[in-house]
Amino acid sequence: MKRLWNSFKIAFAMYSRIPMLRAEWTRENMRYVMCFFPLIGVVIGVLQYGWSFLGPLLCQGTLLISAGYVLIPVAVTGGIHLDGFLDTADALSSYQPMERRLEILKDSHAGAFAIIVGISYFLLSLGVFSELGREELGVLAGGYVLSRALSGLAVVSFPCAKNTGLVAMFSDAAQKARVRAVMVLFILAGSIWVCAVQPRYGVAVLLGAAGTFGHYYHMSKKNFGGITGDLAGYFVQVCELVMAAFVLIAARLPL
């Protein structure tokens, strides 16, 4: 039980800005970190849905309300996934050999393509969320769990690009079969949630998540030889935007 509690604290300390009690990052304590990763998605979903009630009371314009939807995930996570997304954008845009792309992932400097892609990402996110209503946001609340559960599943299932780094450390330390089983349960729970709230939107979320997951596997293996922490962040960011876009498309399709 103590090991699980420590894994919980490490998961929230690593992947969110939510204050947590200190826990040592030992091999034993990190065995089940991925099992608690999707719970951060629950926090984001609740806050974002809550903002759909609070935002209109505080703001008159839809633009500021939409900005709240876009920035809540960044505020909760501290931008850790966004950092990986931008590093990956730089690496993919370099068109360099695989070894050089892996070096670019580790470079702390932001290149021009990272800035361009980052601005484009936020503009597109702002546009998408400005078109979504409360029901769509209720569906997407489950999407934040799905994106993280799929990311955790990849950590214990996909090949790692290198033997060092956070993803390699979690993958090596994890009790893979148990973590994989927990991720599948989270995926099932998230799938049930999104389809129960609104079946048509739920199917759109699942299609978007599945398509992004397949893209993640093939892109990471082709361009980097496997996944890294930065690529995991890339997946979470892309998956969440794609799910939101698919819900918007589903909402606009004629019945």
Side-chain angles (χ1 to χ4, degrees):
M1 185 60 69
K2 183 178 180 181
R3 182 188 303 166
L4 289 176
W5 173 233
N6 285 333
S7 291
F8 172 86
K9 290 187 290 184
I10 292 172
F12 272 74
M14 178 65 201
Y15 293 111
S16 81
R17 300 291 294 175
I18 300 171
M20 278 288 126
L21 297 173
R22 181 179 176 81
E24 293 187 15
W25 287 36
T26 64
R27 182 184 179 90
E28 289 297 314
N29 287 340
M30 297 183 71
R31 286 181 183 272
Y32 301 108
V33 163
M34 285 295 117
C35 293
F36 300 102
F37 182 36
L39 295 180
I40 299 168
V42 174
V43 176
I44 294 172
V46 169
L47 291 176
Q48 202 174 65
Y49 189 68
W51 179 245
S52 71
F53 292 91
L54 182 61
L57 298 177
L58 300 177
C59 312
Q60 292 185 349
T62 58
L63 184 61
L64 190 56
I65 296 172
S66 302
Y69 295 141
V70 173
L71 294 177
I72 282 172
V74 180
V76 172
T77 64
I80 185 172
H81 308 304
L82 187 61
D83 175 72
F85 171 75
L86 297 178
D87 286 342
T88 302
D90 260 343
L92 289 174
S93 301
S94 70
Y95 297 101
Q96 296 293 316
M98 185 181 297
E99 294 76 11
R100 176 58 183 151
R101 286 196 290 267
L102 288 170
E103 291 177 3
I104 293 173
L105 287 180
K106 296 187 295 182
D107 192 342
S108 60
H109 298 89
F113 285 104
I115 296 172
I116 294 169
V117 172
I119 293 172
S120 301
Y121 181 91
F122 277 110
L123 284 175
L124 182 57
S125 296
L126 187 64
V128 169
F129 276 97
S130 69
E131 296 289 327
L132 298 180
R134 188 168 294 152
E135 187 176 36
E136 291 95 325
L137 291 167
V139 173
L140 287 175
Y144 292 106
V145 175
L146 279 174
S147 64
R148 284 158 177 78
L150 288 170
S151 180
L153 182 64
V155 167
V156 294
S157 303
F158 290 2
C160 293
K162 50 188 180 180
N163 295 323
T164 60
L166 285 172
V167 166
M169 180 169 57
F170 288 157
S171 179
D172 180 62
Q175 295 288 336
K176 289 188 176 182
R178 295 177 183 176
V179 173
R180 191 177 292 116
V182 172
M183 293 302 101
V184 170
L185 289 176
F186 270 117
I187 291 169
L188 290 175
S191 300
I192 292 171
W193 172 269
V194 299
C195 291
V197 174
Q198 218 290 351
R200 182 157 56 102
Y201 300 164
V203 170
V205 165
L206 296 180
L207 289 175
T212 308
F213 194 64
H215 159 74
Y216 176 40
Y217 176 79
H218 291 291
M219 180 278 293
S220 60
K221 197 169 183 181
K222 175 184 176 181
N223 294 287
F224 300 95
I227 63 172
T228 68
D230 287 319
L231 293 173
Y234 167 89
F235 166 74
V236 170
Q237 294 292 155
V238 173
C239 185
E240 290 173 358
L241 180 54
V242 168
M243 288 188 294
F246 271 47
V247 168
L248 176 59
I249 293 170
R252 296 297 182 269
L253 288 176
L255 295 175

